[in-house]
Short mmCIF file of all heavy atoms in Angstrom, two decimals:
data_model
loop_
_atom_site.label_atom_id
_atom_site.label_comp_id
_atom_site.label_asym_id
_atom_site.label_seq_id
_atom_site.Cartn_x
_atom_site.Cartn_y
_atom_site.Cartn_z
N THR A 179 22.65 16.72 -10.70
CA THR A 179 23.74 17.64 -10.14
C THR A 179 25.04 17.41 -10.87
O THR A 179 26.05 18.06 -10.48
CB THR A 179 23.93 17.32 -8.66
OG1 THR A 179 24.34 15.99 -8.44
CG2 THR A 179 22.68 17.58 -7.86
N THR A 180 25.09 16.60 -11.90
CA THR A 180 26.33 16.26 -12.55
C THR A 180 27.03 17.48 -13.16
O THR A 180 28.24 17.58 -13.16
CB THR A 180 26.12 15.16 -13.59
OG1 THR A 180 25.40 14.10 -13.00
CG2 THR A 180 27.45 14.63 -14.16
N ALA A 181 26.22 18.43 -13.65
CA ALA A 181 26.79 19.63 -14.32
C ALA A 181 27.16 20.71 -13.34
O ALA A 181 27.62 21.79 -13.76
CB ALA A 181 25.82 20.10 -15.39
N LEU A 182 26.91 20.54 -12.05
CA LEU A 182 27.10 21.60 -11.08
C LEU A 182 28.35 21.41 -10.23
O LEU A 182 28.82 20.28 -10.11
CB LEU A 182 25.85 21.65 -10.17
CG LEU A 182 24.49 21.81 -10.89
CD1 LEU A 182 23.36 21.65 -9.87
CD2 LEU A 182 24.41 23.14 -11.55
N ASP A 183 28.85 22.49 -9.65
CA ASP A 183 30.02 22.33 -8.82
C ASP A 183 29.60 21.73 -7.43
O ASP A 183 28.42 21.73 -7.10
CB ASP A 183 30.85 23.56 -8.71
CG ASP A 183 30.16 24.63 -7.90
OD1 ASP A 183 29.77 24.40 -6.74
OD2 ASP A 183 29.98 25.77 -8.47
N VAL A 184 30.59 21.27 -6.75
CA VAL A 184 30.36 20.37 -5.54
C VAL A 184 29.37 21.01 -4.50
O VAL A 184 28.50 20.38 -4.02
CB VAL A 184 31.67 19.94 -4.84
CG1 VAL A 184 31.40 19.04 -3.70
CG2 VAL A 184 32.56 19.28 -5.91
N ILE A 185 29.63 22.30 -4.21
CA ILE A 185 28.80 22.94 -3.16
C ILE A 185 27.37 23.04 -3.65
O ILE A 185 26.42 22.79 -2.89
CB ILE A 185 29.38 24.38 -2.89
CG1 ILE A 185 30.84 24.25 -2.56
CG2 ILE A 185 28.52 25.05 -1.79
CD1 ILE A 185 31.38 24.91 -1.43
N VAL A 186 27.19 23.45 -4.90
CA VAL A 186 25.82 23.52 -5.40
C VAL A 186 25.13 22.17 -5.54
O VAL A 186 23.94 22.03 -5.30
CB VAL A 186 25.85 24.26 -6.81
CG1 VAL A 186 24.43 24.48 -7.34
CG2 VAL A 186 26.59 25.63 -6.68
N GLN A 187 25.96 21.15 -5.87
CA GLN A 187 25.42 19.77 -5.89
C GLN A 187 24.78 19.44 -4.58
O GLN A 187 23.68 18.91 -4.53
CB GLN A 187 26.63 18.79 -6.14
CG GLN A 187 26.99 18.57 -7.53
CD GLN A 187 28.08 17.51 -7.63
OE1 GLN A 187 28.36 16.79 -6.72
NE2 GLN A 187 28.66 17.47 -8.78
N LYS A 188 25.47 19.71 -3.50
CA LYS A 188 24.96 19.41 -2.19
C LYS A 188 23.66 20.14 -1.91
O LYS A 188 22.67 19.65 -1.42
CB LYS A 188 25.99 19.72 -1.11
CG LYS A 188 25.46 19.37 0.31
CD LYS A 188 26.52 19.63 1.37
CE LYS A 188 25.93 19.30 2.75
NZ LYS A 188 24.64 19.88 3.03
N GLN A 189 23.62 21.46 -2.29
CA GLN A 189 22.40 22.27 -2.06
C GLN A 189 21.24 21.70 -2.80
O GLN A 189 20.11 21.63 -2.31
CB GLN A 189 22.65 23.74 -2.49
CG GLN A 189 23.68 24.39 -1.63
CD GLN A 189 24.16 25.73 -2.23
OE1 GLN A 189 23.88 26.01 -3.38
NE2 GLN A 189 24.89 26.52 -1.40
N ILE A 190 21.47 21.25 -4.05
CA ILE A 190 20.34 20.77 -4.87
C ILE A 190 19.89 19.41 -4.29
O ILE A 190 18.66 19.16 -4.20
CB ILE A 190 20.79 20.59 -6.36
CG1 ILE A 190 21.05 21.95 -6.97
CG2 ILE A 190 19.72 19.82 -7.13
CD1 ILE A 190 19.84 22.85 -7.15
N MET A 191 20.79 18.55 -3.87
CA MET A 191 20.41 17.26 -3.25
C MET A 191 19.66 17.53 -1.93
O MET A 191 18.65 16.84 -1.63
CB MET A 191 21.60 16.39 -2.99
CG MET A 191 22.22 15.74 -4.29
SD MET A 191 21.03 14.89 -5.39
CE MET A 191 20.30 13.71 -4.29
N ASP A 192 20.06 18.53 -1.17
CA ASP A 192 19.40 18.88 0.07
C ASP A 192 17.96 19.35 -0.23
O ASP A 192 17.02 18.98 0.46
CB ASP A 192 20.12 19.99 0.81
CG ASP A 192 21.39 19.50 1.51
OD1 ASP A 192 21.57 18.27 1.64
OD2 ASP A 192 22.25 20.34 1.95
N LEU A 193 17.86 20.14 -1.30
CA LEU A 193 16.51 20.60 -1.68
C LEU A 193 15.60 19.44 -2.07
O LEU A 193 14.42 19.33 -1.65
CB LEU A 193 16.61 21.58 -2.89
CG LEU A 193 15.29 22.02 -3.52
CD1 LEU A 193 14.46 22.79 -2.52
CD2 LEU A 193 15.52 22.87 -4.79
N LEU A 194 16.14 18.44 -2.87
CA LEU A 194 15.33 17.33 -3.25
C LEU A 194 14.89 16.51 -2.00
O LEU A 194 13.79 16.02 -1.92
CB LEU A 194 16.11 16.37 -4.24
CG LEU A 194 16.31 16.95 -5.65
CD1 LEU A 194 17.21 16.03 -6.49
CD2 LEU A 194 14.92 17.14 -6.31
N ASP A 195 15.83 16.38 -1.04
CA ASP A 195 15.44 15.69 0.21
C ASP A 195 14.34 16.37 0.92
O ASP A 195 13.41 15.76 1.43
CB ASP A 195 16.70 15.64 1.15
CG ASP A 195 17.71 14.53 0.81
OD1 ASP A 195 17.25 13.59 0.00
OD2 ASP A 195 18.77 14.54 1.25
N GLU A 196 14.49 17.72 0.95
CA GLU A 196 13.43 18.46 1.72
C GLU A 196 12.07 18.36 1.07
O GLU A 196 11.05 18.12 1.73
CB GLU A 196 13.93 19.94 1.74
CG GLU A 196 13.02 20.88 2.53
CD GLU A 196 13.33 22.35 2.18
OE1 GLU A 196 14.51 22.66 1.87
OE2 GLU A 196 12.33 23.12 2.07
N LEU A 197 12.03 18.49 -0.27
CA LEU A 197 10.78 18.38 -1.04
C LEU A 197 10.17 17.00 -0.86
O LEU A 197 8.93 16.81 -0.75
CB LEU A 197 11.01 18.73 -2.48
CG LEU A 197 11.39 20.20 -2.71
CD1 LEU A 197 11.89 20.35 -4.18
CD2 LEU A 197 10.29 21.14 -2.43
N ARG A 198 11.03 16.02 -0.93
CA ARG A 198 10.61 14.59 -0.80
C ARG A 198 9.91 14.40 0.55
O ARG A 198 8.86 13.82 0.65
CB ARG A 198 11.85 13.75 -0.87
CG ARG A 198 11.71 12.28 -0.81
CD ARG A 198 12.98 11.68 -1.32
NE ARG A 198 14.16 11.97 -0.45
CZ ARG A 198 14.42 11.38 0.69
NH1 ARG A 198 13.68 10.42 1.11
NH2 ARG A 198 15.51 11.72 1.38
N ARG A 199 10.55 14.91 1.64
CA ARG A 199 9.94 14.78 2.90
C ARG A 199 8.68 15.55 3.07
O ARG A 199 7.66 15.07 3.64
CB ARG A 199 10.95 15.27 4.04
CG ARG A 199 12.14 14.37 4.09
CD ARG A 199 12.77 14.30 5.45
NE ARG A 199 13.96 13.46 5.36
CZ ARG A 199 15.19 13.94 5.06
NH1 ARG A 199 15.32 15.22 4.89
NH2 ARG A 199 16.21 13.16 4.96
N ARG A 200 8.67 16.79 2.53
CA ARG A 200 7.53 17.69 2.68
C ARG A 200 6.32 17.13 1.93
O ARG A 200 5.21 17.16 2.42
CB ARG A 200 7.84 19.07 2.19
CG ARG A 200 6.88 20.16 2.71
CD ARG A 200 7.04 21.50 2.11
NE ARG A 200 8.40 21.96 2.14
CZ ARG A 200 8.90 22.82 1.23
NH1 ARG A 200 8.15 23.27 0.27
NH2 ARG A 200 10.17 23.23 1.33
N HIS A 201 6.52 16.62 0.72
CA HIS A 201 5.38 16.21 -0.11
C HIS A 201 5.21 14.71 -0.09
O HIS A 201 4.27 14.22 -0.69
CB HIS A 201 5.55 16.66 -1.59
CG HIS A 201 5.67 18.15 -1.77
ND1 HIS A 201 4.60 18.96 -1.43
CD2 HIS A 201 6.68 18.91 -2.14
CE1 HIS A 201 4.97 20.17 -1.71
NE2 HIS A 201 6.20 20.19 -2.12
N GLY A 202 6.09 13.98 0.53
CA GLY A 202 6.00 12.53 0.56
C GLY A 202 6.13 11.91 -0.85
O GLY A 202 5.69 10.77 -1.11
N MET A 203 6.79 12.66 -1.77
CA MET A 203 6.94 12.05 -3.10
C MET A 203 8.18 11.16 -3.09
O MET A 203 9.14 11.38 -2.34
CB MET A 203 7.04 13.17 -4.18
CG MET A 203 8.37 13.83 -4.28
SD MET A 203 8.31 15.22 -5.37
CE MET A 203 9.88 16.03 -4.93
N ALA A 204 8.11 10.13 -3.99
CA ALA A 204 9.30 9.29 -4.13
C ALA A 204 10.23 9.92 -5.12
O ALA A 204 9.74 10.48 -6.10
CB ALA A 204 8.88 7.91 -4.56
N VAL A 205 11.52 9.89 -4.91
CA VAL A 205 12.46 10.38 -5.89
C VAL A 205 13.20 9.21 -6.47
O VAL A 205 13.78 8.41 -5.70
CB VAL A 205 13.45 11.46 -5.27
CG1 VAL A 205 14.52 11.81 -6.29
CG2 VAL A 205 12.71 12.68 -4.82
N VAL A 206 13.25 9.12 -7.76
CA VAL A 206 14.08 8.09 -8.44
C VAL A 206 15.29 8.83 -9.02
O VAL A 206 15.17 9.58 -9.93
CB VAL A 206 13.31 7.40 -9.57
CG1 VAL A 206 14.19 6.41 -10.32
CG2 VAL A 206 12.09 6.65 -9.00
N LEU A 207 16.41 8.65 -8.31
CA LEU A 207 17.66 9.34 -8.73
C LEU A 207 18.47 8.47 -9.63
O LEU A 207 18.91 7.39 -9.25
CB LEU A 207 18.43 9.68 -7.47
CG LEU A 207 19.85 10.28 -7.67
CD1 LEU A 207 19.70 11.73 -8.18
CD2 LEU A 207 20.65 10.26 -6.41
N VAL A 208 18.62 8.92 -10.87
CA VAL A 208 19.45 8.19 -11.83
C VAL A 208 20.90 8.73 -11.72
O VAL A 208 21.06 9.92 -11.85
CB VAL A 208 18.91 8.47 -13.28
CG1 VAL A 208 19.93 8.00 -14.33
CG2 VAL A 208 17.58 7.70 -13.43
N THR A 209 21.84 7.85 -11.39
CA THR A 209 23.20 8.32 -11.19
C THR A 209 24.25 7.27 -11.47
O THR A 209 23.97 6.08 -11.33
CB THR A 209 23.39 8.88 -9.76
OG1 THR A 209 24.68 9.39 -9.60
CG2 THR A 209 23.16 7.80 -8.71
N HIS A 210 25.44 7.69 -11.92
CA HIS A 210 26.54 6.75 -12.02
C HIS A 210 27.40 6.78 -10.75
O HIS A 210 28.41 6.11 -10.62
CB HIS A 210 27.37 7.06 -13.23
CG HIS A 210 27.99 8.41 -13.13
ND1 HIS A 210 27.36 9.56 -13.45
CD2 HIS A 210 29.20 8.82 -12.65
CE1 HIS A 210 28.13 10.60 -13.18
NE2 HIS A 210 29.27 10.19 -12.66
N ASP A 211 27.00 7.67 -9.82
CA ASP A 211 27.85 8.01 -8.65
C ASP A 211 27.39 7.18 -7.45
O ASP A 211 26.42 7.53 -6.76
CB ASP A 211 27.70 9.51 -8.44
CG ASP A 211 28.60 10.01 -7.29
OD1 ASP A 211 29.18 9.17 -6.53
OD2 ASP A 211 28.76 11.25 -7.20
#
Side-chain angles (χ1 to χ4, degrees):
T179 61
T180 308
L182 304 171
D183 69 55
V184 183
I185 306 226
V186 182
Q187 276 182 14
K188 182 179 178 307
Q189 293 167 349
I190 294 292
M191 287 310 302
D192 287 346
L193 172 63
L194 287 175
D195 278 344
E196 183 196 325
L197 294 169
R198 183 165 61 81
R199 294 208 183 89
R200 198 189 308 152
H201 299 294
M203 78 187 167
V205 173
V206 176
L207 175 70
V208 166
T209 182
H210 62 276
D211 185 348

